[in-house]
């Protein structure tokens, strides 16, 4: 989730040639919350279908309400928006809409987060949630050629028991899941709260990732726990790691991948006289950075191409560095090595064609 910000206009194009290169480049995305792709237009459509009344006159009024100053104020908007998701078809429509947008931007592979606790507590059965998502994933792969996998996230500011109940319920749909994650408000909810959940997930063959949002209380402690104690497979956000040479060295030694959302959590500020650009600092530190869009529907409807274009400008990225970010994306996939190599070959072929055009 984003830590600080408000809805923004679509990223400007300062280098048209670079923007075209980014748009045509095969890409992967990991840090995207399905519920965070719920555009205002779809909210109104689902509300009508489900007999709900929304407290907004129109789409413009709803989008104007997407204003927040910190993580809790963002989450209040984000979770309120989910209330229109009630039936399997709602989750199908939500997922297919994101996958269609991603495929149109040449995203060929994505691993998507979802927050089942928020739906279960409203009485929506897990079968409807995962059933709709999985059906959309299959249809999108057949019709659009985009491959995807699903990550069950624990909402860290709900109880540990609630998270375990969601995991136990989700394990009945193990074939539809690739991993578990950890999102939402970090205050008072350190990663170790979910040690037993991660252990059970691993025992069932699932991969593990965790949000370590920027500039949170004890951020470096959370990163340390994730790396050393929980031994996560990826870290989501994690920009504050650049403040600790020890943790940077450990992450490099482990080949850790970071799913960074630069438009929304791209600057370190807490306790610093001069803000630090996260992407620039992490790349300069030799870390494996991947780029994602986070919750695009609530953040100016900026999907992956827009985020990459903005990052190229703000972080002074070269085309070589953008290709490195894309390669990291495929290398980070929770897929067999042969399948990752096939996607990398597709990227390399694109770069070679662009170099000779």
């Amino acid at each position: 989730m984003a830590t600080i910000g408000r809805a923004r206009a679509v990223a400007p194009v300062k280098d048209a040639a670079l923007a075209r290169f980014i748009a045509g480049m095969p890409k992967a995305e990991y840090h995207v919350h399905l519920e965070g792709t719920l555009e205002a237009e779809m909210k109104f459509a689902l509300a009508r279908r489900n007999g709900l009344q929304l407290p907004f006159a129109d789409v413009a009024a709803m989008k104007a309400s997407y204003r927040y100053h910190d993580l809790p104020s963002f989450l209040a908007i984000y979770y309120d928006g989910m209330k229109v998701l009630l039936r399997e078809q709602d989750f199908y429509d939500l997922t297919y809409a994101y996958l269609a947008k991603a495929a149109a931007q040449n995203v060929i592979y994505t691993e998507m987060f979802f927050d089942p606790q928020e739906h279960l507590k409203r009485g929506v059965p897990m079968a409807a949630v995962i059933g709709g998502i999985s059906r959309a994933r299959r249809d999108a792969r057949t019709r659009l050629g985009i491959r995807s996998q699903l990550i069950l996230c624990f909402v860290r500011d709900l109880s540990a028991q609630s998270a375990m109940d969601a995991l136990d319920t989700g394990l009945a749909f193990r074939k539809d899941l690739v991993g578990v994650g950890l999102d939402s408000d970090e205050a008072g909810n350190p990663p170790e709260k979910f040690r037993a959940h991660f252990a059970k997930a691993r025992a069932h063959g699932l991969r593990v990732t965790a949000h370590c949002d920027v500039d949170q209380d004890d951020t470096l402690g959370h990163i340390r726990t994730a790396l050393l104690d929980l031994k996560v497979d990826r870290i989501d956000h994690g920009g504050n790691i650049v403040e600790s040479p020890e943790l940077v060295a450990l992450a490099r030694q482990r080949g850790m991948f970071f799913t960074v959302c630069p438009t929304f959590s791209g600057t370190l500020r807490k306790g610093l006289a001069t803000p630090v650009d996260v992407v620039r600092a992490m790349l300069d530190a030799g870390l494996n950075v991947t780029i994602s869009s986070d919750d695009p529907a609530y953040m100016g409807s900026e999907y992956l191409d827009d985020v990459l274009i903005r990052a190229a400008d703000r972080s002074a990225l070269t085309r070589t560095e953008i290709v490195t970010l894309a390669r990291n994306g495929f290398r980070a996939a929770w897929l067999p090595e042969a399948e990752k190599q096939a996607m990398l070959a597709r990227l390399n072929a694109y770069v070679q064609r662009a170099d000779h055009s």
Side-chain angles (χ1 to χ4, degrees):
M1 311 287 180
T3 46
I4 275 183
R6 63 179 62 198
R8 306 183 184 198
V10 172
V13 179
K14 293 184 179 179
D15 185 334
L18 185 60
R20 287 193 298 272
F21 177 79
I22 289 170
M25 182 174 64
K27 294 174 284 285
E29 180 164 43
Y30 302 103
H31 193 144
V32 60
H33 300 264
L34 275 175
E35 295 92 343
T37 70
L38 180 55
E39 294 285 352
E41 293 83 357
M42 182 174 285
K43 278 191 200 175
F44 274 95
L46 296 183
R48 286 192 297 269
R49 186 161 78 193
N50 291 326
L52 302 176
Q53 185 67 41
L54 297 177
F56 302 100
D58 53 29
V59 165
M62 179 181 286
K63 288 184 175 181
S65 75
Y66 295 168
R67 294 180 176 272
Y68 39 88
H69 59 276
D70 58 9
L71 183 55
S73 62
F74 169 79
L75 291 171
I77 298 168
Y78 172 77
Y79 289 127
D80 185 69
M82 295 183 193
K83 293 177 181 177
V84 299
L85 296 165
L86 296 175
R87 305 176 186 177
E88 179 176 321
Q89 188 63 38
D90 301 339
F91 291 93
Y92 175 96
D93 292 345
L94 170 70
T95 305
Y96 195 89
Y98 161 69
L99 290 171
K101 291 185 181 79
Q105 295 193 348
N106 283 306
V107 175
I108 63 174
Y109 178 71
T110 178
E111 293 170 7
M112 310 168 294
F113 296 131
F114 77 117
D115 290 318
Q117 286 159 273
E118 292 297 322
H119 308 302
L120 293 172
K121 74 182 187 182
R122 292 185 290 109
V124 181
M126 186 73 84
V129 179
I130 294 184
I133 293 171
S134 298
R135 187 159 53 89
R137 288 177 50 224
R138 291 191 295 270
D139 285 352
R141 185 171 187 182
T142 299
R143 299 170 187 170
L144 306 174
I146 182 170
R147 183 168 182 186
S148 61
Q149 297 200 83
L150 188 60
I151 300 171
L152 185 157
C153 269
F154 304 127
V155 178
R156 65 202 306 159
D157 42 322
L158 296 179
S159 71
Q161 186 58 53
S162 168
M164 188 62 80
D165 291 344
L167 176 59
D168 289 339
T169 304
L171 286 173
F173 305 88
R174 168 66 186 85
K175 65 180 178 58
D176 296 305
L177 302 174
V178 70
V180 297
L182 184 61
D183 64 16
S184 202
D185 196 349
E186 291 191 32
N189 299 290
E192 54 265 32
K193 174 180 174 181
F194 300 90
R195 181 181 287 107
H197 307 67
F198 285 177
K200 179 177 279 191
R202 285 192 187 281
H204 286 270
L206 296 171
R207 307 296 289 272
V208 171
T209 187
H211 278 49
C212 293
D213 278 298
V214 302
D215 289 348
Q216 299 297 298
D217 291 342
D218 196 26
T219 295
L220 290 180
H222 291 183
I223 295 172
R224 183 183 301 276
T225 297
L227 285 171
L228 289 175
D229 183 10
L230 302 179
K231 292 182 171 56
V232 297
D233 300 299
R234 286 200 303 251
I235 288 178
D236 306 307
H237 296 305
N240 290 91
I241 194 171
V242 298
E243 299 173 330
S244 170
E246 175 201 357
L247 292 178
V248 166
L250 178 62
R252 290 176 61 180
Q253 179 184 358
R254 286 197 54 196
M256 181 61 55
F257 287 93
F258 294 81
T259 69
V260 177
C261 303
T263 306
F264 322 117
S265 293
T267 305
L268 306 181
R269 292 186 175 89
K270 191 172 183 180
L272 300 174
T274 303
V276 172
D277 182 88
V278 166
V279 174
R280 181 79 270 152
M282 293 181 81
L283 284 174
D284 289 347
L287 295 169
N288 293 323
V289 178
T290 74
I291 299 295
S292 292
S293 63
D294 209 345
D295 299 285
Y298 293 92
M299 300 164 180
S301 294
E302 291 192 359
Y303 289 82
L304 187 54
D305 279 356
D306 308 301
V307 174
L308 278 166
I309 290 167
R310 188 185 292 279
D313 289 338
R314 188 173 71 182
S315 305
L317 299 176
T318 66
R319 197 175 89 158
T320 297
E321 288 174 324
I322 289 170
V323 172
T324 295
L325 293 170
R327 287 198 175 109
N328 286 344
F330 294 126
R331 292 170 56 221
W334 288 342
L335 286 170
E337 187 62 29
E339 296 178 46
K340 292 193 284 188
Q341 289 302 319
M343 292 189 294
L344 283 165
R346 186 168 167 180
L347 172 62
N348 292 339
Y350 171 79
V351 173
Q352 289 175 1
R353 287 195 302 272
D355 286 343
H356 292 92
S357 62

